[in-house]
Amino acid sequence: MADKNDGMDAMMQFWKQGQDSFFDAQREMAENFGRAFAPKPKDPISQGVENWQNFVRAWAPGWDPSAMMASSVQSNFDKQKDAYFALFDPSTWMTQAPEQLRSILESVANMPQLADLTYPQIGAADQWQEMIDFQEASSAFGKVMQEAWSRAYATYSKHFSVDDLKAGNVTEALNAWVKTANEELLDTQSSTEFMAAQRGLIQASSNLTKRQAKMAEAWGEKLQMPTRTEIDDLTETVHKLKRELRKLKKDLRAAQK
Amino acid sequence: MTTPKQTPDNFSQAYNTAMGQLMDAGVNTLKSSEMLNAISDTDVQIATTPSDVVFQIDKVTVSRYRPLAKPLKGAPPVLIAYGLFGRQTMIDLQQDRSLVRNLLEAGIDVHVLDWGNPTRADQFTTIEDMIDIYLRDCVEYLVDYNDGKPITMFGICEGGTLSTCLAALAPDLFKGLALAITPIDFKGDPENFWRGEGFLNQWLSNMSKEEIDNMIDVHGNMPGEMSGVMFSALTPMNSMTKYNLGLQRLQGDRDATLNFLRMEKWIADRPDHPGAAAKQWFNDFYRENKLVKGEFSVDGQAVNLSHIDCPVMNIYALQDHIVPISCTKPLSNYISPKKYTEIGFPGGHVGVFVSRKAQGVVAGGLIDWIKKTQV
């Protein structure tokens, strides 16, 4: 169950993601730098295929093994293989609940209430819906930030290419990246898209946390435990009494003068 | 950028440049890591100027700093009040960057207000309570201490706004009002904000009253950590790189690392803001700009800024991304020009207190103003 700082955690998480993106960009820059100084390495699969072809050619000079690789069997295998490996790619996983789930939850949450029956599932459905809202708001906020990082990298790439890195000034390249990214993030943070996403995330997180607190209080009441609402009510009463007492003391002092 | 043609000679030169820079960065990182390992938390002390608590109301205290020089004859005591989105320790971050020490060395009797650590039990404290109960009681204590004569108030950031309200409501209590990085007109001039300026104004204007209330009601108070995340987001790349590139650039220098860590200690000590007051701060001040519209009232009495009749000094930061200049300068519209002075400090919001330059410009300017208008 998410805790009271869900919204903040989500914001922190996105900032962390931002930082990860920053480091990814640094890594990418370092790789570009590496490419600028070194010949492009072959990926292990291409390298393996080439080695195998060389091996076959060495033993059977008249036979072209690449023809076998182009066969339909192989191409079907590649397709199947790609589909299989895609299952392991987190970017292809569904990050949001399907719309059907939302409509089911809505129908549960809005079902008519009968006086002598309890409906714990209504509260649960409400909470579930708010969890989905929170997921969607998190994704929307993440999308805005991800796009900002992509724009930052695109802008940076226009000014700094692999060829530029051939001058060898990595410090200048890094400083330019920090400046470019900062400007892009600042621009993003004043955009209507960012503000809408930020507002949505804060609201979704607040609503979810409130719902969770309400459900926790329902259990607390059943178990004869004091609830947050009761303590807050008492606190408010004490606060009002203190304020009233101060005012009376002040009036009394003024009357005595 | 022009692309140098790659020849064996310049390839070798570029390779050496790159390797040299990478080596330097690596060495600096190692030095900084070693320095961090060599420093313990007890080495990082802030707010070390000795003081004694002389007044308390609930969690709010007033402390008097012990004098460091012969008293400046005729100068009233000064009460410094910060807000609740940070801690007043910023005015005494370290010995060589301490507004407090500068004032004490000039012979000024310095007191500081500490709002304490509000908990959920304080969530119903309103801005009116902060102004008319806590701040007023502290000021009245100091007026009594000063034989019934008015005092000099120095309000900073939110504390400056609260002090301004009290100076308008009870002008007899004040001989002078100094302010630093204090928002007055919360709308400012958004058309002319520079990149990164006024995010708080924009973000809060974008939310409805209900949304802001809802955000704070969930926690009871405005959690200090939430304020911290908000402030970090205002300077995104600086926040993301301060523990890697930032530390690396310190090159393991002990003094620079300690300066950095003292600042970190100050940032980490962010109190929770009482919920009801935070809602008013965001809704009444930021969203509805009630102060300059004359719509904000305390105990039924409207806060009319033109009722301030003591000399006023307004210190603002020219590169302040939190309180835009256009949000603080409009105070001059309400004060007689003969009584109004301002200093535009070339730095950022916090730089007004912690930068080396500020010790001369800000502290020096404040002391000159006290000598000229308060003595």
Side-chain angles (χ1 to χ4, degrees):
Chain A
M1 183 183 275
D3 70 13
K4 71 167 187 149
N5 291 321
D6 260 347
M8 244 166 45
D9 288 347
M11 295 277 263
M12 298 280 264
Q13 200 184 341
F14 283 119
W15 281 108
K16 187 182 166 301
Q17 280 176 3
Q19 187 150 1
D20 290 345
S21 304
F22 166 72
F23 285 121
D24 285 348
Q26 308 307 309
R27 181 178 45 74
E28 203 159 335
M29 191 185 76
E31 284 169 5
N32 279 343
F33 178 69
R35 281 197 290 276
F37 286 92
K40 186 176 182 241
K42 289 195 169 69
D43 65 81
I45 293 175
S46 310
Q47 188 69 60
V49 169
E50 196 177 301
N51 288 345
W52 181 71
Q53 285 178 339
N54 289 339
F55 171 79
V56 171
R57 280 197 194 101
W59 288 94
W63 182 51
D64 179 11
S66 61
M68 193 185 88
M69 303 297 286
S71 74
S72 61
V73 176
Q74 181 63 34
S75 107
N76 281 339
F77 171 75
D78 281 344
K79 280 182 197 162
Q80 296 294 329
K81 180 195 72 177
D82 291 346
Y84 177 72
F85 283 116
L87 291 174
F88 298 96
D89 178 2
S91 68
T92 64
W93 298 349
M94 188 172 276
T95 54
Q96 291 173 15
E99 203 49 40
Q100 293 94 318
L101 176 59
R102 184 183 285 280
S103 64
I104 292 166
L105 291 170
E106 263 170 27
S107 68
V108 173
N110 296 326
M111 65 190 284
Q113 290 191 39
L114 302 175
D116 294 333
L117 295 177
T118 56
Y119 296 94
Q121 68 272 29
I122 292 178
D126 279 333
Q127 186 187 339
W128 202 343
Q129 281 194 89
E130 278 154 358
M131 179 71 85
I132 294 171
D133 289 343
F134 178 66
Q135 280 179 344
E136 287 182 359
S138 299
S139 300
F141 188 80
K143 183 169 174 281
V144 170
M145 293 311 293
Q146 197 55 50
E147 284 171 358
W149 283 107
S150 302
R151 280 195 301 275
Y153 193 70
T155 309
Y156 178 70
S157 303
K158 274 186 205 161
H159 295 100
F160 262 89
S161 64
V162 168
D163 283 341
D164 291 321
L165 283 170
K166 284 180 180 168
N169 194 340
V170 281
T171 307
E172 189 190 338
L174 180 60
N175 291 342
W177 162 240
V178 170
K179 184 170 179 286
T180 306
N182 195 51
E183 287 174 357
E184 182 53 53
L185 291 175
L186 291 177
D187 288 346
T188 298
Q189 289 185 168
S190 62
S191 68
T192 49
E193 292 79 13
F194 174 87
M195 287 195 281
Q198 183 194 49
R199 184 180 179 179
L201 182 62
I202 290 171
Q203 284 318 300
S205 135
S206 302
N207 290 340
L208 176 61
T209 311
K210 266 181 146 176
R211 176 76 57 193
Q212 287 168 337
K214 198 174 169 185
M215 293 190 74
E217 286 201 352
W219 283 105
E221 275 182 345
K222 294 263 184 305
L223 299 169
Q224 305 299 311
M225 290 164 71
T227 64
R228 181 76 255 171
T229 305
E230 286 166 350
I231 296 169
D232 285 350
D233 283 348
L234 277 172
T235 308
E236 189 171 16
T237 306
V238 172
H239 185 84
K240 283 178 178 167
L241 285 171
K242 274 169 77 177
R243 195 184 285 160
E244 209 168 317
L245 184 65
R246 279 199 182 99
K247 194 172 182 318
L248 286 170
K249 277 183 170 176
K250 198 174 157 186
D251 291 347
L252 194 63
R253 274 201 306 271
Q256 283 170 345
K257 278 184 184 171
Chain B
M1 178 176 268
T2 52
T3 305
K5 197 170 157 54
Q6 205 70 10
T7 62
D9 274 353
N10 62 21
F11 174 87
S12 157
Q13 196 182 346
Y15 183 84
N16 287 335
T17 304
M19 285 304 126
Q21 290 182 350
L22 289 172
M23 282 291 284
D24 284 347
V27 169
N28 288 338
T29 303
L30 283 174
K31 282 183 185 170
S32 294
S33 298
E34 263 183 36
M35 184 48 68
L36 271 184
N37 285 334
I39 294 173
S40 70
D41 190 49
T42 49
D43 296 326
V44 186
Q45 296 293 330
I46 59 174
T48 55
T49 307
S51 65
D52 306 287
V53 174
V54 290
F55 178 75
Q56 178 155 13
I57 168 171
D58 295 341
K59 291 175 182 171
V60 181
T61 57
V62 173
S63 296
R64 177 175 186 260
Y65 286 100
R66 295 179 195 166
L68 293 178
K70 212 171 84 180
L72 178 65
K73 207 173 168 192
V78 172
L79 177 64
I80 303 176
Y82 199 81
L84 264 157
F85 290 101
R87 186 77 74 181
Q88 77 287 346
T89 44
M90 196 231 271
I91 56 172
D92 186 29
L93 205 62
Q94 60 192 67
Q95 280 208 6
D96 60 340
R97 296 182 193 191
S98 166
L99 175 82
V100 169
R101 277 185 177 272
N102 282 316
L103 294 176
L104 291 172
E105 281 160 7
I108 294 161
D109 190 3
V110 185
H111 293 69
V112 67
L113 184 153
D114 182 351
W115 295 100
N117 283 308
T119 64
R120 192 143 177 162
D122 303 294
Q123 65 178 301
F124 298 104
T125 300
T126 60
I127 292 266
E128 289 94 327
D129 295 334
M130 290 175 76
I131 295 170
D132 205 34
I133 295 177
Y134 297 115
L135 184 57
R136 185 192 275 265
D137 277 10
C138 294
V139 173
E140 285 179 348
Y141 157 77
L142 214 57
V143 169
D144 284 347
Y145 162 86
N146 194 33
D147 298 328
K149 290 179 286 185
I151 61 140
T152 307
M153 184 80 217
F154 183 33
I156 301 165
C157 199
E158 183 192 24
T161 311
L162 305 183
S163 304
T164 305
C165 291
L166 186 60
L169 292 166
D172 294 347
L173 298 173
F174 299 93
K175 179 149 191 195
L177 175 67
L179 302 167
I181 48 174
T182 293
I184 298 292
D185 176 347
F186 285 73
K187 279 281 174 282
D189 183 13
E191 299 294 311
N192 293 306
F193 282 165
W194 38 263
R195 183 186 256 157
E197 186 186 28
F199 275 159
L200 290 182
N201 309 63
Q202 281 182 293
W203 292 350
L204 292 164
S205 300
N206 183 52
M207 292 174 80
S208 69
K209 179 182 183 303
E210 290 70 29
E211 286 170 339
I212 286 173
D213 289 352
N214 196 28
M215 174 179 80
I216 293 169
D217 282 340
V218 167
H219 305 285
N221 288 328
M222 173 78 180
E225 294 92 338
M226 197 186 260
S227 307
V229 169
M230 190 171 72
F231 287 125
S232 292
L234 302 179
T235 51
M237 285 308 280
N238 184 50
S239 303
M240 284 179 215
T241 58
K242 67 175 177 175
Y243 298 135
N244 37 64
L245 294 179
L247 273 173
Q248 182 202 98
R249 284 175 187 139
L250 299 181
Q251 301 181 14
D253 181 88
R254 185 175 170 84
D255 288 344
T257 308
L258 281 170
N259 286 351
F260 171 79
L261 292 173
R262 278 188 280 260
M263 194 66 200
E264 287 293 298
K265 193 164 206 165
W266 175 73
I267 292 170
D269 181 26
R270 232 181 255 289
D272 290 355
H273 197 296
K279 285 191 227 172
Q280 285 178 293
W281 182 250
F282 293 149
N283 284 316
D284 295 353
F285 287 74
Y286 268 97
R287 288 186 57 260
E288 297 181 38
N289 206 13
K290 283 186 175 177
L291 185 58
V292 289
K293 289 181 184 167
E295 293 170 2
F296 182 68
S297 59
V298 174
D299 199 18
Q301 189 185 349
V303 176
N304 185 340
L305 295 177
S306 55
H307 286 176
I308 299 172
D309 65 0
C310 60
V312 173
M313 182 162 86
N314 191 11
I315 301 166
Y316 51 83
L318 297 170
Q319 282 93 45
D320 194 335
H321 61 292
I322 297 175
V323 179
I325 301 173
S326 57
C327 291
T328 184
K329 277 180 76 122
L331 179 64
S332 62
N333 299 334
Y334 302 90
I335 315 291
S336 154
K338 283 182 188 164
K339 293 186 174 175
Y340 181 82
T341 317
E342 61 182 31
I343 295 177
F345 173 73
H349 189 74
V350 180
V352 166
F353 298 97
V354 301
S355 74
R356 204 170 289 280
K357 201 192 296 173
Q359 307 315 309
V361 178
V362 177
L366 183 60
I367 292 164
D368 286 347
W369 176 80
I370 288 173
K371 286 178 179 168
K372 209 186 284 181
T373 67
Q374 305 292 287
V375 177

